[in-house]
């Protein structure tokens, strides 16, 4: 890997949270497509991810990337029980909003709205006003729990679990809130340290899927 930071002087930086699709450009050199090995493709899980600079950057450590992607998929797509997919995305969006990760917040707020179209305005209010935005009891409990898990040091405690239970979440659903927030608390910090988002419609590398 090059030891030089890649700069993007001509790229405008977005300055507001949005549900629109942002792009992303890296500060370090992604692994060239022509150099990807069979092990790299196994780590990518889906071959289409090879087109994304973020994943080609992470695939420089294929073992870690493979574990990261399998964990991500299980947290968000294994919805046979527990929390509904939209609310897992809400937890990740609240985490990303708290961390200031515009790119991840755009991905997960968009997925939350796609899974629960009638609540698009509620999702947008979270982006516009932050974690203290007005939500119903259930979404308030999820957002507050996610934000508490994101804080350093962590503020999450018994009161958050009691609020989630009072809002109708069972133990499995509470675990799903914790997993979605914890995973993206880590993922936000990784993405924020490796590159930067670009605005909707601006010249950019192919956008990252967030998955």
């Amino acid at each position: 890997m090059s030891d030089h930071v890649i700069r993007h002087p001509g790229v405008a930086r977005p300055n507001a949270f949005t549900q629109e699709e942002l792009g992303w450009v890296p500060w370090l050199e992604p692994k060239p497509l022509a150099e990807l090995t069979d092990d790299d493709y196994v780590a990518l899980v889906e071959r289409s991810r090879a087109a994304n600079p973020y994943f080609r950057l992470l695939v420089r450590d294929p073992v870690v990337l493979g574990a990261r992607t399998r964990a991500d998929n299980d947290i968000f797509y294994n919805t046979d029980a527990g929390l509904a997919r939209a609310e897992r995305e809400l937890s990740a969006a609240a985490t990303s909003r708290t961390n200031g990760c515009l790119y991840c917040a755009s991905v997960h707020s968009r997925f939350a709205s796609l899974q629960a179209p009638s609540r698009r305005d509620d999702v947008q209010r979270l982006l516009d006003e932050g974690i203290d935005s007005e939500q119903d009891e259930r979404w308030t409990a999820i957002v507050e729990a996610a934000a508490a898990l994101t804080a350093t040091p962590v503020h999450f405690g018994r009161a958050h679990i009691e609020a989630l239970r009072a809002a109708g979440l069972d133990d499995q659903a509470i675990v799903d809130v914790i997993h979605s927030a914890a995973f993206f608390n880590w993922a936000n910090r990784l993405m924020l340290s490796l590159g930067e988002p670009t605005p909707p419609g601006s010249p950019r590398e192919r956008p990252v899927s967030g998955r």
Side-chain angles (χ1 to χ4, degrees), residues 71-72 74-76 83-96 108 142 146 149-150 172-188 211:
D72 184 10
D74 195 50
I75 289 168
F76 288 94
L83 201 63
R85 169 77 187 282
E87 293 174 331
R88 299 182 195 206
E89 300 290 355
L90 174 69
S91 178
T95 298
S96 302
H108 297 288
I142 292 170
L149 282 161
T150 303
Q172 181 60 60
I174 292 172
V175 167
D176 289 335
V177 170
I178 292 170
H179 284 170
S180 346
F183 184 89
F184 264 88
N185 196 17
W186 167 79
N188 292 158
R211 291 289 185 235

Side-chain angles (χ1 to χ4, degrees), residues 22-40:
L22 300 179
W24 186 86
V25 290
W27 291 329
L28 298 173
E29 187 67 37
K31 191 168 186 178
L33 192 60
E35 295 180 13
L36 295 181
T37 66
D38 290 342
D39 287 343
D40 292 338

